[in-house]
Amino acid sequence: MNFFDAFALLAERIFWSMWVSIGFALLFNTPRRALWATALLGAIGWSTKFLLIKTLIPDQVVIASFGGACVVGFLGMYFAHRVHTPPMVFTIPAVINMIPGKSGYEFMMGLIKIVTITHEHNQTLETIFETIKLALQTGFITLGLAFGVIAPVLLFNTYSVKDKDLNKFIARKIKRIYKRERKTPH
């Protein structure tokens, strides 16, 4: 596969991740003024996860999903001030395209295999171990997505975006830390 084919495939996947995010945003009644932010965050989150898996941390889907969700969460705090909407309204639909559907499906199929296996002892243990692995992977990816989206809200302690500017908020936090450090004797 040459560079242009790989780039075209990546662009196509980013395009569809944007539409998945918009589709779920419409299902969740996200305001129309925030749909562009949802699409952009969906594309950025999926791209971050993809790039982390392909470059820095191959085979670490859980950590890459958490990283992508954190990027969506932090950028969601920024965009919340621009579209005057709470961040959860458009960050949740933006990470839905990273939900582990394939591993969740394979986990359920593994459960069905365990229930329907007749007598093969080795096949049963192998199936049980693979099913447990898929269950843990699916669960941890889902938890990573949830914690990644909620982390900025917990770190910045901003439950409402009304009358708040993220730049001023960060500047105040830094000033408080600087004042505390100056007051403490060395």
Side-chain angles (χ1 to χ4, degrees), residues 1-175:
M1 181 179 279
N2 63 22
F3 173 76
F4 294 109
D5 290 340
F7 182 75
L9 182 63
L10 178 62
E12 179 185 351
R13 289 183 178 178
I14 290 171
F15 173 80
W16 287 114
S17 70
M18 291 172 67
W19 281 106
V20 167
S21 299
I22 289 173
F24 277 99
L26 291 173
L27 285 175
F28 295 152
N29 292 327
T30 300
R32 292 195 187 277
R33 68 180 179 273
L35 289 179
W36 68 270
T38 305
L40 184 62
L41 290 176
I44 290 172
W46 184 88
S47 299
T48 302
K49 175 186 170 184
F50 179 80
L51 290 173
L52 285 173
I53 290 172
K54 294 296 182 186
T55 58
L56 297 176
I57 47 176
D59 299 327
Q60 297 296 323
V61 181
V62 175
I63 297 170
S65 297
F66 176 71
C70 281
V71 169
V72 168
F74 281 108
L75 288 175
M77 294 292 292
Y78 176 77
F79 285 128
H81 299 284
R82 300 297 168 242
V83 296
H84 306 291
T85 304
M88 291 300 146
V89 171
F90 53 86
T91 55
I92 298 299
V95 298
I96 284 182
N97 59 19
M98 292 188 277
I99 288 179
K102 181 181 177 189
S103 60
Y105 172 78
E106 290 174 352
F107 161 63
M108 294 305 292
M109 293 308 291
L111 284 177
I112 292 170
K113 283 181 188 175
I114 290 171
V115 171
T116 59
I117 285 181
T118 54
H119 295 295
E120 299 175 27
H121 181 66
N122 290 338
Q123 183 66 27
T124 305
L125 285 177
E126 186 178 314
T127 304
I128 289 171
F129 290 141
E130 182 66 23
T131 302
I132 290 171
K133 179 190 141 242
L134 288 167
L136 290 173
Q137 181 180 8
T138 303
F140 282 123
I141 290 172
T142 306
L143 284 173
L145 293 175
F147 285 128
V149 168
I150 199 72
V153 174
L154 295 175
L155 289 174
F156 292 129
N157 198 18
T158 57
Y159 296 106
S160 170
V161 295
K162 192 168 187 132
D163 297 328
K164 292 184 182 180
D165 185 13
L166 189 60
N167 297 331
K168 291 178 185 176
F169 179 78
I170 293 171
R172 276 193 312 247
K173 288 282 188 181
I174 291 172
K175 286 179 185 177

